[in-house]
């Protein structure tokens, strides 16, 4: 067999990578996005305060963030499949342990630590990195949008599904169903088993070492601003995902509306993610990010100052859905533009760590402030201020390759 034939056989099947990657993003993100549905039934069954459950999900987000750079390094070094397989095992173990959690510590270890690590090693971040090394640079932004939209489809499908299952078979059996679905991830991840060195779309990364890539990123002003701003995205998304259902229930609007609110966010985020992926390939990514964060601040302000009805909840969810994970194609796209796809999984992992620190604070402070004041008002206003600050932070980011890549392109 000639060298050309060998390269042809090892070349990734792009449609297969895209399809399997989208299914992974959908299945891995679905159960995680539905955690808010278990908030009230678990706290009521176990007699916990809201802070106990909120802290578990906050730990989940933080561990997910801490584990993301590690999983990225593992994927960059050993391949995506191995990281995904490990993540599926941890994820499934956490869901199973969550069923029998009888104490706050058990909940924090299962829903917090194990599921957090499981998501870190099997989430859409690794899927996007696989897309980045597989497709051409011109197609990356749209591919990232498709991958992110698939995660949103998981949110749209799993929230009404989860609400219906909890109502009909109970929250314990619902967690068992979710466990079975997570067990399919290693099979789907086989299509993503390549490494960056094996991709023809990797570009000219040279012989740069991982430590040099990390040092280069943290020495770049745009990367620092991007990482700082992504903190706000995590704060918004995690707080709303976990606390919107109980917030709606507290207003006397029923528990089913909370599930549909999250489903609407997921449904409209499919449109938002695809649109941002498309727009990111044609317009300034930093400016688009600024507009998204400003739009979130305006939407939250309108939601809390106007009368809250079932209709206003669904309108708010639809608007937030358009602005939800539409930040991810643009943020990951900026990482790829600035540093190339060679170490994208690792570098985006560090950006995502900031996102998850924000998620930790959004979830935990939501529960803590509610227990102390009996209201979510303070956290809503905090989310508005952070949205405005994020809009300011992203505006000056320069969308261009670092000097190393610019020099290589000129040679």
């Amino acid at each position: 067999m000639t060298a050309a034939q060998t390269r042809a056989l090892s070349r990734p099947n792009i449609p297969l990578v895209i399809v399997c990657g989208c299914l992974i993003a959908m299945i891995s993100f679905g159960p995680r996005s539905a955690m808010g549905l278990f908030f009230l039934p678990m706290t009521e069954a176990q007699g916990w305060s809201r802070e106990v459950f909120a802290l578990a999900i906050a730990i989940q987000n933080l561990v997910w963030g801490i584990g993301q750079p590690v999983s990225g390094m593992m994927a960059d070094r050993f391949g995506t499949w191995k990281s995904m397989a490990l993540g599926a095992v941890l994820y499934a173990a956490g869901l199973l342990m969550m069923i029998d959690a009888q104490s706050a510590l058990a909940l924090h270890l299962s829903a917090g630590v194990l599921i957090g690590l499981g998501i870190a090693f099997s989430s859409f971040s690794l899927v996007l990195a696989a897309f980045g090394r597989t497709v051409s640079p011109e197609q990356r932004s749209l591919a990232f949008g498709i991958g992110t939209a698939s995660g949103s489809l998981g949110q749209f499908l799993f929230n009404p599904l989860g609400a219906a299952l909890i109502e009909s078979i109970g929250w314990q059996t619902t967690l068992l169903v979710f466990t079975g679905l997570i067990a399919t991830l290693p099979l789907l991840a086989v299509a993503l088993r390549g490494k960056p060195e094996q991709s023809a779309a990797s570009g000219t990364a040279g012989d740069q070492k991982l430590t040099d890539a990390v040092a280069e990123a943290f020495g770049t002003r745009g990367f620092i601003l991007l990482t700082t701003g992504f903190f706000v995205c995590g704060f918004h998304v995690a707080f709303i995902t976990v606390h919107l259902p109980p917030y709606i229930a507290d207003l006397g609007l029923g528990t089913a509306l909370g599930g549909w609110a999250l489903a609407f966010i997921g449904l409209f985020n499919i449109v938002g993610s695809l649109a941002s992926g498309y727009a990111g390939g044609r317009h300034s990514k930093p400016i688009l990010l600024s507009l998204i964060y400003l739009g979130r601040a305006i939407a939250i302000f309108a939601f809390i100052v106007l009368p809250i009805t079932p209709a206003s909840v669904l309108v708010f969810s639809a608007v937030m859905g358009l602005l939800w994970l539409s930040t991810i194609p643009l943020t990951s796209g900026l990482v790829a533009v600035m540093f190339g796809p060679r170490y994208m999984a690792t570098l985006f992992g560090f950006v995502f760590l900031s996102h998850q620190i924000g998620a930790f604070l959004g979830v935990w402070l939501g529960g803590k402030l509610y227990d102390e004041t009996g209201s979510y008002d303070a956290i809503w206003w905090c989310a508005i201020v952070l949205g405005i600050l994020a809009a300011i932070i992203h505006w000056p980011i320069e969308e261009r390759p670092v000097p190393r890549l610019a020099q290589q392109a000129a040679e």
Side-chain angles (χ1 to χ4, degrees), residues 12-14 16-22 24 72 75-76 79-81 84 123-136 140 143-144 147 188-196 198-202 332 341-346 348:
N13 183 322
I14 294 178
L16 182 63
V17 169
I18 297 295
V19 170
C20 289
C22 288
I24 290 169
D76 285 338
T80 303
W81 182 85
M84 288 280 182
S123 71
F124 58 83
S125 299
L126 300 185
V127 171
L128 298 186
F131 287 1
R133 67 172 182 262
T134 302
V135 305
S136 67
R140 279 181 194 144
F144 293 161
L188 294 169
V190 171
L192 281 63
R193 63 184 180 275
K195 295 187 291 185
Q198 298 171 337
S199 173
S202 291
S332 57
R342 173 64 183 88
Y343 292 112
M344 182 182 164
T346 301
F348 185 69

Side-chain angles (χ1 to χ4, degrees), residues 185-380:
L185 294 182
L187 295 176
L188 294 169
V190 171
L192 281 63
R193 63 184 180 275
K195 295 187 291 185
E197 298 95 330
Q198 298 171 337
S199 173
S202 291
T204 55
D207 295 323
Q208 188 184 37
K209 296 180 180 179
L210 176 61
T211 53
D212 295 333
V214 173
E216 179 182 62
F218 280 97
T220 303
R221 176 172 175 265
F223 184 81
I224 299 298
L225 291 174
L226 191 66
T227 302
T228 303
F230 213 34
F231 168 96
V232 178
C233 181
F235 188 97
H236 286 164
V237 169
F239 165 68
I240 292 174
T241 298
V242 174
H243 291 285
L244 183 59
Y247 176 72
I248 293 170
D250 288 344
L251 296 173
L253 299 177
T255 57
L257 183 60
W260 280 108
L262 296 181
F264 261 53
I265 290 174
L267 176 63
F268 281 86
N269 189 50
I270 297 172
V271 178
S273 297
L274 291 173
S276 73
Y278 178 83
R282 290 158 178 78
H283 304 287
S284 168
K285 294 180 182 66
I287 292 177
L288 289 172
L289 282 168
S290 292
L291 294 176
I292 287 171
Y293 285 109
L294 181 60
R296 286 186 185 183
I298 294 171
I300 294 171
F301 175 79
F303 179 59
I304 64 173
V305 300
L306 295 175
I308 298 178
T309 65
S312 73
V313 168
L314 295 180
V315 170
F316 169 72
S317 300
V319 173
M320 285 302 296
L322 293 173
L323 307 171
W324 195 247
L325 298 182
S326 55
T327 57
I328 290 180
L330 302 172
T331 302
S332 57
L334 279 171
V335 174
V337 167
M338 289 190 283
F339 307 105
R342 173 64 183 88
Y343 292 112
M344 182 182 164
T346 301
L347 298 181
F348 185 69
F350 281 108
V351 178
F352 198 75
L353 172 57
S354 174
H355 182 282
Q356 294 309 98
I357 293 173
F360 172 88
L361 291 175
V363 174
W364 174 64
L365 284 176
K368 184 174 179 60
L369 291 177
Y370 180 89
D371 284 343
E372 291 182 352
T373 66
S375 170
Y376 284 113
D377 289 348
I379 204 77
W380 282 120

